[in-house]
Amino acid sequence: MSDLIPGPETWNAATLVPLPVLVPLFAAGLTLALRRYANVQRTISVTALTITTLASAALMFFADAGPVVVDVGGWAAPVGVNLVADRLSALMLTVSGVMLLCVLLYSLGQGVPEGDDLDGGSRVGETIPVAIFHPTYLVLAAGVANAFLTGDLFNLYVGFEILLAASAILLTLGGTAERIRAGSMYVIVTLMSSLVFLAAIALVYAATGTVNMAQLAERLPEIDPTVRTALQLLLLLAFGIKAAVFPLSFWLPDSYPTAPAPVTAVFAGLLTKIGVYAMLRTQVLLFPDDPAVDRLLMVVALLTMVIGIFGAVAQNDVKRLLSFTLVSHIGFMVFGVALASQAGTAAAIFYVVHHISVQTALFLVVGLVEFRGGSTSLDRLGGLARLAPGLAVLFFVPALNLAGIPPLSGFLGKVGLLTEGVRDGSGLAWALVIGSVVTSLLTLYAVVKAWNKAFWQDAPDDVPEDVRLPRGMVLPAGALIAFGLAITVAAGPLYGYAERAAESSMDGTTYVDAVFPDGSDRGTGKSDEITDDATGDDS
Amino acid sequence: MTVLQNTPSAVLVLAIGVLFGTGVYLLLERPLTRILLGFILISNAVNLMLLVAGGRAGASPIVGNAPQDEPMADPLAQAMTLTAIVITLALTAFILALAYRSWQIHGHDEVADDVEDKRVARAAAANAPAYTDADAEETGQTLDEEAAAVHDETVGDEDEERAR
């Protein structure tokens, strides 16, 4: 038995790789078993996510030297499933870990997990039994980590399904009429995208005989280019629905705003970015050069940006407004992916990191606004600048960051994208550069409109004078905003990391060599860590 | 080593097509239960696709079980199908619960209109540029009234929406 659990002397960076998946899953089981003890549940969730975040941050450090690969179950690729932590996935893991932790603390402060009033008390007396909040949230975290870490297309599907099932439960938490309405739409759309993805996997397997990403990177160039493009488009379709790019974004602004603020914040910050991550990974690693598809992606990016932001400008409800800006800004990331150059990919990676922190922070602050002002409609809010001046600052900083005001991180990401677009020089790239600038200005208009109306217009009569914002909600929201500012301060090293991540992703051989250290794509089916003696003993 | 013939069997391909077709048809319906049936059909189609992707049937994929010269079936395709089936089962249960809850609340399990669609439709009806109205004399209805009526599939939700 002692062979099964390696001693400390054999621990290395690879030991950390499964932790972001396993720790939350294990904690989810524990919290489900201990659902009667709210305090224990809280402690377990916070501890699990802290461990996950620390492990991810450590992985970010180790992966900078080269991808860290783990063969799950001791079967080496391509026979077994493997987890690969390279710079890109470790970076995404770390940022999502910080964000998941902040949102968890915020929701603890809000009291949703204990079945308090929904929607910040706007519907008094309506409580929900939510002992399942913690397990579901942790399962979501595990699914996200699995999607980021996997080196296998089918395991990516499994990761997606884990987080989708969890997100559907979080969205319909409590089962009120409004949430069932929004939830059924969300569930159907996401299920369809999963089925498209699964069909794409079946076709990929039929065409190449493998679902291992490293092996696919070697085999896909060998197959018929037409078939390859068809596979690529099918995968992009599936990821496009998840990432909410136009015209596949119709479902998002309708489903997100109904959920409780922390849930919306997680969804907005994270779920669409996983679609973007999957797009980035497949585009860069599996289908590196196909100019026609890149042009298609550019058109899609432009439409996503512009139409999304028009939707935001037309909105009168802060949550819906933010949902539309979310759709719009996915366009920036797709722009970076479509540029298909190293600098473009680096800018896209940096933009994803920035956007996760800023969009989540905005939704958390809107949760606070709703708590304080009793509504998210811009017609019913007002006067909050006098009643809650701190809140005004909390809203203002990420809002400006979203619009890309210098010197904040949004500006840096956009500058990266714009310079690369100008350098690309094609007509479409120029159109996108202009589109990006217009979108940024309209974003500024939309968030400033929200800021003016919520904080500066005359207060309506029914805004209570003496509501104190719970410190448990304010502090995590503030921490996340501070994290966003830290991204700005550390933009130099972070951008450098993103560039190195783009470099190693673009250069597929790094990834493939890490997965197949012996250089053969056949693989032995045996992991390096298992010696012949050990397997001999077992049989 | 003998290799499996990998031309798919026509029957399976046909079955996939039929399942996909009927599934999509059911998905376009409004009640959640029908959408669920459509989802089940499509997921079965996709599972069959995975199976077909592994090539034709062969001997059972256990080493030592098959005669020396007989090719084995591809176990990976079957393993993936099995995983997909389990996931589908869980999600089917979830949609069933959703449909049941929807029935509890509304007395039906129809998917409601997108709030944004309704808002846009109402705004459009209010601002409709009624230049000409060909059948106003026949029906006695103005264009605005017709436009308002067309999108009003969820009567009674207005109050709820206004409360948002």
Side-chain angles (χ1 to χ4, degrees), chain A residues 154 157-158 161 165 168-169 172 174-178 180-181 183-185 187-188 191-192 195 198-199 202-203 205-206 211 250 254 258 314-315 320 324 377 380, chain B residues 20 27 32 35 39 42-43 46-47 49-50 53-54 74 76-77 80 83-84 87 91 94-95 98 101-102 105-106 111-116 119 160 162-164:
Chain A
F154 192 78
Y157 163 77
V158 174
E161 291 301 310
I169 293 169
T172 53
T176 56
E178 181 74 346
I180 294 291
R181 185 191 61 74
S184 34
M185 181 74 135
V187 170
I188 295 161
L191 280 183
M192 282 313 112
L195 286 181
L198 194 59
L203 293 178
Y205 189 66
V211 285
F250 59 92
D254 197 44
T258 45
Q315 290 304 319
R320 297 181 69 84
F324 274 101
S377 166
R380 293 149 170 252
Chain B
F20 254 115
L27 267 186
L32 263 175
I35 293 174
F39 166 68
I42 295 188
S43 64
V46 175
N47 288 341
M49 264 174 95
L50 273 174
D74 185 348
L76 185 56
M80 290 197 288
T83 315
I87 290 172
L91 293 172
F94 185 76
I95 306 182
L98 210 60
R101 180 68 181 158
S102 180
I105 293 174
H106 303 293
V111 178
D113 276 349
D114 189 328
V115 179
E116 185 67 18
R119 205 173 68 88
E160 191 185 307
R162 206 169 296 135
R164 283 159 52 79

Side-chain angles (χ1 to χ4, degrees), chain A residues 261-539:
Chain A
V263 172
T264 319
V266 172
F267 284 18
L270 209 49
L271 296 197
T272 47
K273 306 305 178 304
I274 294 164
V276 174
Y277 168 82
M279 228 183 239
L280 196 65
R281 185 63 95 193
T282 46
Q283 278 299 102
V284 165
L285 182 68
L286 304 185
F287 306 97
D289 35 36
D290 196 334
V293 177
D294 286 337
R295 281 198 293 279
L296 173 74
L297 276 181
M298 283 196 187
V299 174
V300 164
L302 182 62
L303 291 175
T304 310
M305 274 180 199
V306 175
I307 294 179
I309 203 65
F310 281 158
V313 168
Q315 290 304 319
N316 220 8
D317 179 291
V318 193
K319 277 187 175 179
R320 297 181 69 84
L321 188 150
L322 287 181
S323 299
F324 274 101
T325 62
L326 165 65
V327 171
S328 170
H329 284 239
I330 295 291
F332 284 97
M333 299 160 217
V334 178
F335 178 26
V337 176
L339 283 170
S341 65
Q342 194 177 311
T345 310
I349 295 172
F350 185 81
Y351 203 84
V352 170
V353 169
H354 143 79
H355 199 254
I356 287 180
S357 74
V358 71
Q359 190 79 49
T360 313
L362 271 176
F363 269 106
L364 290 185
V365 173
V366 167
L368 288 172
V369 168
E370 188 180 11
F371 191 92
R372 185 65 186 80
S375 169
T376 53
S377 166
L378 289 176
D379 294 335
R380 293 149 170 252
L381 286 170
L384 287 180
R386 181 175 56 81
L387 295 172
L391 193 55
V393 176
L394 283 186
F395 185 83
F396 197 59
V397 173
L400 286 188
N401 202 347
L402 185 73
I405 298 296
L408 296 166
S409 53
F411 172 71
L412 300 170
K414 284 183 179 112
V415 164
L417 286 169
L418 293 186
T419 16
E420 189 53 23
V422 170
R423 203 197 55 76
D424 187 271
S426 65
L428 259 176
W430 272 104
L432 264 162
V433 167
I434 296 165
S436 310
V437 174
V438 171
T439 307
S440 303
L441 290 176
L442 285 176
T443 310
L444 185 64
Y445 168 72
V447 289
V448 166
K449 183 182 88 171
W451 197 62
N452 277 342
K453 284 200 171 179
F455 292 98
W456 295 102
Q457 73 181 0
D458 289 339
D461 300 334
D462 55 348
V463 173
E465 288 281 332
D466 51 349
V467 177
R468 283 203 67 79
L469 289 168
R471 193 169 290 169
M473 287 164 79
V474 176
L475 285 182
L480 203 56
I481 292 166
F483 180 70
L485 291 176
I487 290 180
T488 307
V489 173
L494 195 66
Y495 211 99
Y497 194 90
E499 273 171 347
R500 289 199 298 283
E503 186 190 345
S504 59
S505 312
M506 301 289 284
D507 173 29
T509 47
T510 322
Y511 190 94
V512 175
D513 287 349
V515 176
F516 301 119
D518 49 354
S520 81
D521 75 335
R522 295 280 157 235
T524 57
K526 264 186 219 156
S527 176
D528 285 347
E529 290 123 44
I530 298 191
T531 60
D532 286 338
D533 293 346
T535 45
D537 288 344
D538 287 346
S539 58

Side-chain angles (χ1 to χ4, degrees), chain A residues 205-270:
Chain A
Y205 189 66
T208 62
T210 183
V211 285
N212 185 289
M213 289 207 221
Q215 205 174 13
L216 278 177
E218 290 185 330
R219 287 194 186 172
L220 276 172
E222 295 167 12
I223 68 171
D224 187 344
T226 340
V227 176
R228 191 170 65 225
T229 310
L231 294 177
Q232 183 181 11
L233 288 178
L234 206 53
L235 284 174
L236 280 179
L237 175 67
F239 299 146
I241 299 176
K242 287 182 205 298
V245 298
F246 183 84
L248 310 169
S249 56
F250 59 92
W251 54 273
L252 189 146
D254 197 44
S255 11
Y256 280 13
T258 45
V263 172
T264 319
V266 172
F267 284 18
L270 209 49

